Amino acid sequence: GGLVGYNDGTIENSYATETVSGTSFVGGLVGNNFGTISNSYSSGSVNGQSGVGGLVGLNYAIITNSYSSGTVNGDFDIGGLVGFNENGTISNSYATGNVNGQNRVGGLVGINIGTISNSYSSGTVIGKFVVGGLVGYNDGTIENSYATETVSGTSFVGGLVGNNFGTISNSYSSGSVNGQSGVGGLVGLNYAIITNSYSSGTVNGDFDIGGLVGFNENGTISNSYATGNVNGQNRVGGLVGYNDGTIENSYATE
């Protein structure tokens, strides 16, 4: 980490500004966090292979009122703020740097198996598989959060989340989304719950392309909508490209 390698205590009102490079669990401020990080930030670029984050590589605990602004580069579990959020809590935080990776790549978090609330990302996100403007792979909770920049990938690409196996509520995405298959303005592939959320960016792809969700597999979409233009080749929808789940009280307007 730019400030601390392994944190099991408290870090507050602190920052790091230089480039950080490593292999696994690499963070602009902290490599592994098992404690509390508050009112802190990092601004240097971060480079690694897996579990790479602009602020924290692997988070098991609490991050609040913090941010990162540096570019993040890696392969797997790559996030603008946190690479891997394992049962951790991220609140009132954000990331503004561009993020580049291969698999499970997110503007804020690469893979989330915890809670993200009142947070956002505004950097461009580029990956290949399971790519999201906010989170690449979500199996936790995302609420009151958003992403605003362009997201590009190959498969399972979403303006907010690439693959969703958890809950997304009161959240939105507004950036354009580009990919080949399973591409959605909000979520690429949805297996779980999306409620009270929306997307407004243009969506471009080939197969299973939707203004809100590319592929809804046994998932539930409720009280949600999409307003962006959608362009594709096969199984293309203003709200959902391919639906094998439930859609209720939702709409598309373009």
Side-chain angles (χ1 to χ4, degrees), residues 107-139:
L108 191 81
V109 175
I111 178 168
N112 177 53
I113 310 180
T115 301
I116 298 170
S117 64
N118 302 305
S119 298
Y120 72 89
S121 60
S122 61
T124 298
V125 182
I126 299 174
K128 287 189 176 180
F129 308 105
V130 191
V131 184
L134 190 81
V135 173
Y137 181 104
N138 178 55
D139 197 8

Side-chain angles (χ1 to χ4, degrees), residues 102-106 110 128-132 136-137 155-157 162-163:
Q102 300 292 320
N103 196 341
R104 298 185 295 272
V105 183
K128 287 189 176 180
F129 308 105
V130 191
V131 184
Y137 181 104
S155 299
F156 308 132
V157 185
N163 280 7

Side-chain angles (χ1 to χ4, degrees), residues 116 138 141-145 160 164 166-172 186 193-198 224:
I116 298 170
N138 178 55
T141 300
I142 297 171
E143 56 189 10
N144 302 312
S145 298
L160 192 80
N164 179 51
T167 300
I168 298 171
S169 65
N170 303 303
S171 298
Y172 72 89
L186 191 80
I193 298 170
I194 298 171
T195 185
N196 300 310
S197 298
Y198 72 90
S224 298

